[in-house]
Amino acid sequence: MTAAMPKTKNPAMAERALLIGLVSISDRASSGVYEDQGIPALRDWLSATILSPFRVETRLIADDRPTIEQTLIELVDTVRCDLVLTTGGTGPSRRDVTPEATKAIATKEMPGFGEQMRQISLNFVPTAILSRQTAVIRETADHAALILNLPGQPKSIRETLEGLKEADGAQRVAGIFAAVPYCIDLIGGPYIDTDPAICKAFRPKSAIRPVPPAA
């Protein structure tokens, strides 16, 4: 399912819209036992945070390794997503195979994302150490995408993307999304601008594009 997410907050973007794949991995949600919460949580956060144009492509699938692998390959190689966010299937149970499927289709591993996600979550629960979230890059001959494994709960999704802030709004622990725009730059994707009040994208000064004056 494809959904357009029109953004007009930043006129700096003249290139193609960012394409984001959202994949919720859950046996029960995919079979209709309960309503999926992962994709709506991701969509809401991205809509509030990303100021540049983007579209989303969504998939709701079961905790099945071949299905996960096939879905990730399709989203990168055929749909040509620049960024793929998965939610669910990262714990230690037998059916939690998202990290294995993600690594199996990867060109490069990006372990720092998983390390930071666990660092953030450990501020809330000691069982965060059981989480196996990771990130990878998948490359084809003419395209590349960053794939991030996120937690399954909406609150945890927001915390890992956004990070932790003090009561006065000062950033205490950086969220992982702060590093995503520059990573997408480096692998040849479109420029991503974010709302700094939610998550300030970090780039070297030489990589920051000025915002042109409004017409």
Side-chain angles (χ1 to χ4, degrees), residues 20-35:
I20 306 175
L22 304 180
V23 185
S24 186
I25 301 164
S26 168
D27 286 333
R28 288 179 290 176
S30 63
S31 63
V33 174
Y34 58 70
E35 186 174 356

Side-chain angles (χ1 to χ4, degrees), residues 98-155:
T98 302
E100 286 74 22
T102 302
K103 291 177 182 178
I105 58 89
T107 307
K108 298 182 177 79
E109 290 190 36
M110 304 291 287
F113 283 101
E115 293 166 5
Q116 185 65 4
M117 281 189 268
R118 282 180 285 278
Q119 178 64 34
I120 293 168
S121 296
L122 281 168
N123 282 269
F124 299 98
V125 291
T127 50
I129 202 168
L130 303 178
S131 169
R132 301 184 303 115
Q133 287 117 349
T134 190
V136 305
I137 290 171
R138 177 173 172 84
E139 298 168 319
T140 66
D142 63 348
H143 184 66
L146 173 64
I147 303 173
L148 297 173
N149 295 158
L150 299 175
Q153 296 300 316
K155 179 176 181 290

Side-chain angles (χ1 to χ4, degrees), residues 83-98:
L83 173 65
V84 178
L85 305 177
T86 75
T87 174
T90 59
S93 74
R94 289 178 181 265
R95 293 290 291 172
D96 289 331
V97 293
T98 302

Side-chain angles (χ1 to χ4, degrees), residues 183-201:
C183 184
I184 299 297
D185 292 350
L186 293 174
I187 62 175
Y191 192 88
I192 304 172
D193 192 21
T194 62
D195 183 346
I198 300 173
C199 179
K200 184 177 181 180

